[in-house]
Amino acid sequence: MISAIIIIGSLAAILGSLLGYAALKFKVEGDPLADKIDKLLPQTQCGQCTFPGCRPYAEAIAKGEADINQCPPGGEDTMQALAELLGVEPKPLGEEHASKPIPLVAVIDENICIGCTLCIKACPVDAIVGTSKLMHTVIESECTGCKLCLPPCPVDCISMEPQTIAPDTWKWPYPVYELHPTTPTLPVEQTT
Amino acid sequence: MSIWALPAGLKLADYHKTASSQHTTQTLIPQQGERFIIPLQQHTGTKPHLEVVVGQYVYKGQILARPQDKISAAIHASTSGVILAIEPHTIAHTSGLPDLCVVIEADGLEDWGNSRFPSLDYSHTDLATLVTRVRDCGVVGLGGAVFPTDIKLNVPQPIPTLILNGAECEPYITCDDRLMQEHADEIVAGAKIIMHMLQAQVCKIGIEDNKPAAIAVMQQAVETAQLPSIEVVTIPTIYPSGAKKQLTYILTGKEVPSGGRGGDAGALCVNVGTARAVYQAVVKGEPLISRYVTISGDAIKQAGNFDVPFGLPIQRLVDAAQGATVTNPVLSMGGSMMPLPLHSSTTPVVKATNCVLVRTPPKPETIMPCIRCGHCAEVCPVNLLPQQLYWHARAKDLEQTERYHLFDCIECGCCSYVCPSHIPLVDYYRFAKAEIKTQRETRQKAEIARSRHEFRQERLERAQREKAEKLTKHKTTLQDSAAQTSSTSPEMDAKKAAIQAALERAKAKKAQQAATETSPIPENKA
């Protein structure tokens, strides 16, 4: 009886310490689920999900504090990908976000810009260059189209424009073909 | 010399090659006042950097745009004249979208100025110089892919076999046939230069057996040059034996691995026209400003081949071939198996224009559902399952298309050609490829945005931290100095005593003043 208790007790102690050691040794830094979610988000850092950036939104989803349908720039595709990752039912996006979002890019009207640097401070990805009292401009390739530079501008010189489609950015469309009738027209019955 | 048979392919009955291959190539000479529209993007890769301005006079062969980035090609003026405009113009592209072009009004003088490079003796020139020359002359693959040749030839390890592609397997096209008949010596000279650059041991020139005249002339040229390492190989006429990976297999029996490049199989495939362009660039010092173009089709009066300077509108070529037989012909670029529809007859001839087809509008084919007959899989030269690819591409299941090796598809059009339901299969593959590429780019862009955002967050935090540190440091120094002042030092004491004394003096003075002020006033009043 006592020997059994000793054996079980010592086994529990050994295994428990082993587990404890493993927990310390193989500790995962950060939140792996939040990382996975963050990978699926479009990284526009626009804050339209009500969180300050994509990473905080990913963390909120991981904790179950946010829904998967709060990312308008990601659209339907991102929502579907999140649903698949988390194993939950897809949720419809709001009416206004139902269609695939058109990629936008910020354009500064350089004739109006007064060089106040407010937009530079607002840009989440440092895509605006310029300095005080000198004209600013947007690095088109880095702009995520988040619209965060619009509200701080005191002279409203920034506008969002759809990305231009040139032959090198054009993409082959989904094939859509006209159908032609194959059956000859039925003979019309002569009524006399 | 043994050759390997393609696993599949098409024995096409209708090659339509006799009409255009009979006549000697005519050179189109620019007329005075004629407008040349030269697109900046005539190759695979990045658009070159423009080096000219509107109103400038340019000589024939003068550089208009210099390559930027690794994969890019130079663009030269194909005639001498004044630059009228630099503006978007319709180019030969499926989308029909306009792209930036340099418009030159020819002066008809064909003045080279000093645009020609000095001739190089290739056997005594190092690889880097030769590669730079090929790059400066804007040489790209003239078989149709227009990939910059300098990238292809700039290989670190020697490639044992050079393959010259004279197969020309597509219907209608005869420009390489004529080129081989008329400039065999230059092609062989180009092959020698490329062999030197690649340190290749052997060169095989693959020509389909429906071009006996070209085979004879090329063999003659090789014999006169006395080069035992170069061999002309006759291959059976099967479409698409002219695709680079297919020709490599036919001539060497080696397959290029999936996703690999031509050189991976120990053999590099270069079009005969490209070989001639390399010769012209290195020996003659002339940039690539014209090419052989076939004009054919059932709606052209006089099919033939023309040496066309780049930038001339297609209409000029049609006129040179005595015009079309119908009022509204359908124009396309390339052969009939992989045609690229042209939206306007003002579209300029570019480096990729190997053939212009002028045809009567086809009767619309009715597209019927796939009946899973499997014909497409029988003819696919890459051994893919076109039917499966079609279903998955149609359902936009892109992961599955990749699993079925979508990116190994060479878009030869064999499957669409044999499909009894007339399904435009290749269009679905192109759509799926474009979609996958866009998704990859979006993911890449998101990755960049994430790292930039994280860097910014870190920078802001660092700035805040540094500010806080500075503040605490400032505070501690202040406290320190305060503590120091409280601790008595003789100097400080003297200062303090002096201040104290001054204060006391001031106080005494004030009191005195007050006393003098208060006392005399009543006296005066009295």
Side-chain angles (χ1 to χ4, degrees), chain B residues 29-36 79-82 84 103-109 312 316:
Chain B
I29 297 156
Q31 309 289 311
Q32 192 187 348
E34 202 160 26
R35 288 193 182 181
F36 279 67
T79 187
S80 57
V82 179
L84 284 187
V103 183
I104 301 175
E105 190 180 56
D107 61 0
L109 297 175
L312 270 186
R316 176 75 157 47

Side-chain angles (χ1 to χ4, degrees), chain A residues 35 38-39 41-45 52-55 100 120-127 139-144 163 165-168 170-175 177-182, chain B residues 41 47 91 93-95 97-99 364-368 393-396 399 424 426-428 430-431 434-435 438-439 442-443 445-450 452-457 459:
Chain A
D35 279 345
D38 195 30
K39 274 233 161 72
L41 296 175
Q43 304 301 327
T44 43
Q45 319 294 350
C54 295
R55 179 81 212 177
K100 203 167 180 168
I120 295 179
K121 284 173 193 151
C123 180
V125 290
D126 290 332
I139 310 169
E140 206 185 307
S141 58
E142 311 290 2
C143 177
T144 62
Q163 277 173 16
I165 298 170
D168 48 346
W170 178 83
K171 158 180 137 176
W172 196 279
Y174 186 74
Y177 295 95
E178 241 178 273
L179 289 175
H180 303 281
T182 47
Chain B
Q41 182 88 59
K47 205 175 269 181
I91 58 158
H93 192 267
T94 324
S95 65
L97 288 169
D99 203 10
E365 295 281 14
T366 308
I367 296 160
M368 303 284 281
R394 203 180 121 133
K396 298 185 187 174
E399 256 176 58
V426 179
D427 287 3
Y428 281 96
R430 286 183 177 146
F431 155 75
E435 197 65 28
T438 323
Q439 277 187 7
T442 319
R443 229 171 291 151
K445 214 179 161 196
E447 219 39 59
I448 294 169
R450 187 214 319 278
R452 285 178 79 88
H453 180 64
E454 276 169 8
F455 179 78
R456 181 174 184 269
Q457 296 292 92
R459 193 188 69 223

